[in-house]
Amino acid sequence: METVLLHAMNTSSVDDIQKAAEILKNGGLVALPTETVYGLAANALDEVAVKNIFIAKGRPSDNPLIVHIAEFSDLDGIVSEVTPVAEKCMKAFWPGPFTAVLPKTKKIPTATSGGLDTVAVRMPKNEVARAIIKKAGLPLAAPSANRSGSPSPSTAGHVIDDLMGKIDAIVVSKNCEVGVESTVVSFAVNPPRLLRPGGVTAEQLRQYIPDLVIDAAVLAQPEKGAKVASPGMKYKHYAPSAEVTMVVGDEKAFSKYCNDQNPSLVVGYDEDEKLINSPFVSLGKAGDHKKAAERLFDTLRDVDKKGYKTVIVHAPTTDGMGLAVYNRLIRAAGFKVVQL
Ligand code: TXA
Ligand code: MG
């Protein structure tokens, strides 16, 4: 399949935004920028188009998609109920990196919801994404625009690497500023449950949901055969082909461990660098979790491009966006964690 490259740095690229919307209205697949990661979009109400997303990504069909909207009124007909606490969170965090799981209506096809009776909805902040949704006049199902299992795409180049020739078009735009995916919260259970940490922190959520529960799968591997609230949590994810180990410990213990193991690459923070003898890449200053999130997926993709065989990564603390970075790294490591 020929993949058309469209270009939209902002909403003044009206022609290419129009072209993207036309392809979507005709049942095609378009990769587009959002503030979190690039998404692979299709008409969320078109079962055939949505099935093609799963084929292009190589995604397991029981892993449901997030439906992206541009206005609050777009919720009508998609969800059957909005709880008062869900509404408060939507008002606080939309547009932005926050996804609400709510009971779905019959309009949402089984392919979009992965056979669940709920649907995940998000209103992205990225102006190009919202312009395309508005022009198409459709809710858009959009998982991250990577091949299933590999790190999510935070630049247009990452999407081109993964999906060129497999989808109708890619909207080339800026790098994603958040760099990790949205925070997913289920309001279909009481109390509400954090299923995936992301661009909105648990601390921010607790201002509106004091009894928020953090799902056990956020920080650890789900038990074999266990029913997980968010199907995406059970798959090995974000993983380079290299053997990755995540290490929890302070700078001194971490550097001693790395120097004993002598891996082909160490991924850590600025403060680690002077203590490490192996090739080293930094995710930024220790504790600057926003910076680490922004650099994370590009760093993981680079590990493969450069052909490193063994990689040790330094776990961040789990405050603020550190929780999202930790959650992605533990999956990149296939849950291989060393506690020092
Ligand atoms: O930032 C993002 O959320 C990006 C951009 C493109 O918007 N999208 C994204 O989609 O990360 P995806 O498909 O890669 O991840 C969606 C996650 C998966 O872990 C999935 O299992 C979960 O959300 N999910 C979707 N619908 C759900 C539902 N009804 N109940 C529970 N979890 C759900
Ligand atoms: Mg994904």
Side-chain angles (χ1 to χ4, degrees):
M1 175 189 286
E2 195 203 337
T3 301
V4 180
L5 290 184
L6 302 171
H7 296 268
M9 285 300 146
N10 52 53
T11 50
S12 61
S13 304
V14 280
D15 289 350
D16 279 12
I17 287 172
Q18 177 70 37
K19 279 183 200 156
E22 284 304 322
I23 295 170
L24 290 162
K25 281 203 275 190
N26 291 325
L29 302 188
V30 178
L32 45 77
T34 85
E35 71 279 17
T36 55
V37 297
Y38 275 73
L40 176 57
N43 177 358
L45 308 179
D46 178 341
E47 178 115 45
V48 175
V50 169
K51 282 189 173 156
N52 286 332
I53 291 183
F54 287 86
I55 294 168
K57 279 184 59 96
R59 180 176 175 111
S61 61
D62 69 343
N63 193 3
L65 307 180
I66 296 174
V67 175
H68 295 66
I69 59 173
E71 325 256 9
F72 281 90
S73 57
D74 296 342
L75 275 174
D76 295 348
I78 294 178
V79 299
S80 61
E81 188 199 339
V82 179
T83 60
V85 64
E87 189 171 347
K88 275 192 207 160
C89 290
M90 289 168 180
K91 286 195 171 135
F93 304 120
W94 280 356
F98 166 73
T99 296
V101 173
L102 291 160
K104 78 175 186 95
T105 65
K106 289 209 172 70
K107 256 175 91 175
I108 298 292
T110 307
T112 303
S113 63
L116 301 175
D117 50 13
T118 53
V119 63
V121 191
R122 166 162 120 81
M123 188 193 291
K125 190 169 189 172
N126 182 287
E127 56 172 357
V128 172
R130 291 174 66 201
I132 294 171
I133 299 169
K134 278 189 203 167
K135 264 276 176 272
L138 293 167
L140 298 181
S144 48
N146 53 297
R147 291 278 301 162
S148 193
S150 68
S152 294
S154 52
T155 73
H158 296 162
V159 182
I160 291 171
D161 286 346
D162 276 20
L163 295 177
M164 200 68 184
K166 296 192 169 71
I167 59 176
D168 296 288
I170 298 171
V171 180
V172 175
S173 188
K174 294 174 196 155
N175 294 352
C176 304
E177 66 220 47
V178 178
V180 294
E181 305 88 337
S182 63
T183 301
V184 180
V185 179
S186 176
F187 297 94
V189 290
N190 195 12
R193 183 173 281 258
L194 176 68
L195 301 182
R196 180 180 71 182
V200 169
T201 66
E203 291 87 342
Q204 284 174 297
L205 288 169
R206 284 209 177 90
Q207 296 182 319
Y208 303 91
I209 320 170
D211 54 351
L212 178 74
V213 173
I214 312 265
D215 195 273
V218 167
L219 287 172
Q221 180 166 30
E223 300 267 332
K224 264 220 170 72
K227 195 174 177 306
V228 282
S230 179
M233 292 277 196
K234 68 180 179 225
Y235 298 108
K236 185 173 172 185
H237 218 139
Y238 316 110
S241 345
E243 192 193 320
V244 182
T245 307
M246 184 173 91
V247 175
V248 184
D250 65 19
E251 277 155 44
K252 243 177 101 186
F254 176 73
S255 57
K256 180 171 183 319
Y257 180 86
C258 292
N259 293 340
D260 287 346
Q261 297 290 319
N262 193 27
S264 40
L265 181 75
V266 173
V267 178
Y269 307 97
D270 292 353
E271 290 78 352
D272 296 322
E273 184 156 17
K274 56 184 183 304
L275 306 171
I276 301 281
N277 301 331
S278 312
F280 179 84
V281 55
S282 176
L283 292 173
K285 277 179 59 166
D288 186 352
H289 301 310
K290 269 195 170 166
K291 180 57 78 188
E294 197 189 306
R295 289 187 181 170
L296 184 65
F297 291 141
D298 193 55
T299 304
L300 291 178
R301 280 173 176 261
D302 230 32
V303 164
D304 271 347
K305 277 198 190 139
K306 301 209 169 113
Y308 295 111
K309 292 281 176 285
T310 50
V311 181
I312 297 178
V313 297
H314 197 173
T317 54
T318 54
D319 53 307
M321 278 193 52
L323 188 64
V325 176
Y326 187 106
N327 171 271
R328 305 312 187 267
L329 283 177
I330 199 173
R331 283 168 172 74
F335 300 100
K336 234 175 94 199
V337 183
V338 174
Q339 297 273 352
L340 297 177

